[in-house]
Amino acid sequence: PEVDAAFARARATGKPLLLYWGATWCPPCNQLKATLFNRQDFEAQSRAFVAVAIDGDRPGAQKLGARFKVSGYPTLVLFTPQGSEITRLPGEADAPQVMALLQAGLAGGRPIAAVLADARAGKPLSANEWRVLSFHSWDVDDSGLVAAADRPALLAELAAKSPAGDGETSTRLWLKALAASDGGKGVKPDAALRERLDRVLADPALARLHMDVLVNGATEIVIAASDEDSADRSALVARLDTALSRL
């Protein structure tokens, strides 16, 4: 009833709805609460949307999880006032980045399905829409937007089509393509992509911008970007370990 009432309030007020799916025992959820939910700008921004929180451990919560197709903790889903999904926000990204995405979504963001369809068709997207695609939590998206088996190829496709002039967005999509490569079955990195990865690992500021991808996708990135038992792999593991230790 509380969730249905929140969606009804969103429709009545014309405000987007932000759904938080988490659990009290979940360390990343508690990190999100400490770094995002207690920010003054988040509190100020919250007046522009309807918020609803679901604790996955409460009775009946798993039915709601199935309804909204969420399973991984934490997940933030932004909906239009009419209930269409705009995007799934990464709970483990840096809080200022999540705030920027939230603001972009609140400023008339289109449903993610429409944005993705236009991107794949080669239609022009705004910088904010490319940013939403690059930050979308593809790895915890159970909505049916794209089948899990198709994610590696999709992310490689989006990375290749992303605007080269927007370094952060393009790099994030390439890193996500590597992280989703499923044992090297997705993107096949060339020298330029390996150099891009090395730049991120060597630069503390760049590594922080993409820390959620590096932390969650470290193993797949290594497998996709280097050959087994090679000197290149040993060197990449060392560079990645150094970057993760700094983070």
Side-chain angles (χ1 to χ4, degrees):
E2 178 186 352
V3 173
D4 291 333
F7 274 91
R9 193 158 63 251
R11 288 193 299 272
T13 60
K15 293 181 178 181
L17 182 141
L18 181 66
L19 183 146
Y20 163 75
W21 167 261
T24 54
W25 52 263
C26 159
C29 300
N30 293 326
Q31 177 75 4
L32 184 68
K33 293 173 186 175
T35 59
L36 178 66
F37 293 166
N38 67 351
R39 289 171 60 100
Q40 289 185 340
D41 54 353
F42 180 85
E43 184 177 349
Q45 193 73 68
S46 66
R47 302 185 187 101
F49 59 81
V50 175
V52 62
I54 303 174
D55 185 331
D57 287 339
R58 294 187 64 181
Q62 294 305 314
K63 289 184 178 180
L64 289 172
R67 171 180 166 184
F68 295 110
K69 299 179 174 61
V70 291
S71 56
Y73 301 132
T75 298
L76 292 168
V77 190
L78 185 64
F79 294 90
T80 67
Q82 294 73 37
S84 296
E85 185 172 321
I86 296 175
T87 190
R88 299 189 174 214
L89 299 167
E92 295 176 352
D94 221 10
Q97 293 171 306
V98 179
M99 278 301 305
L101 284 168
L102 181 58
Q103 289 161 351
L106 293 174
R110 293 193 295 152
I112 186 70
V115 175
L116 177 60
D118 283 355
R120 301 194 77 177
K123 296 181 180 179
L125 302 183
S126 70
N128 270 340
E129 288 175 330
W130 274 112
R131 186 173 173 83
V132 166
L133 287 174
S134 74
F135 272 93
H136 186 77
S137 294
W138 299 100
D139 52 337
V140 294
D141 190 341
D142 303 319
S143 68
L145 182 64
V146 58
D150 296 333
R151 283 177 196 156
L154 171 67
L155 283 162
E157 177 188 343
L158 291 177
K161 290 179 175 178
S162 62
D166 186 346
E168 181 182 347
T169 294
S170 178
T171 294
R172 174 165 279 265
L173 280 168
W174 279 117
L175 290 176
K176 284 200 168 185
L178 286 172
S181 284
D182 188 21
K185 298 174 187 174
V187 63
K188 304 299 182 185
D190 56 13
L193 180 49
R194 289 191 176 94
E195 182 181 346
R196 187 191 294 256
L197 174 60
D198 286 345
R199 283 200 305 271
V200 171
L201 297 180
D203 186 326
L206 285 178
R208 185 174 179 85
L209 279 176
H210 304 294
M211 65 179 182
D212 51 313
V213 187
L214 296 178
V215 170
N216 294 332
T219 299
E220 288 297 343
I221 288 172
V222 167
I223 292 172
S226 60
D227 295 325
E228 189 173 4
D229 297 327
S230 67
D232 285 343
R233 173 160 296 183
S234 298
L236 176 56
V237 168
R239 291 194 295 274
L240 188 54
D241 278 347
T242 298
L244 293 177
S245 294
R246 282 198 309 259
L247 289 171

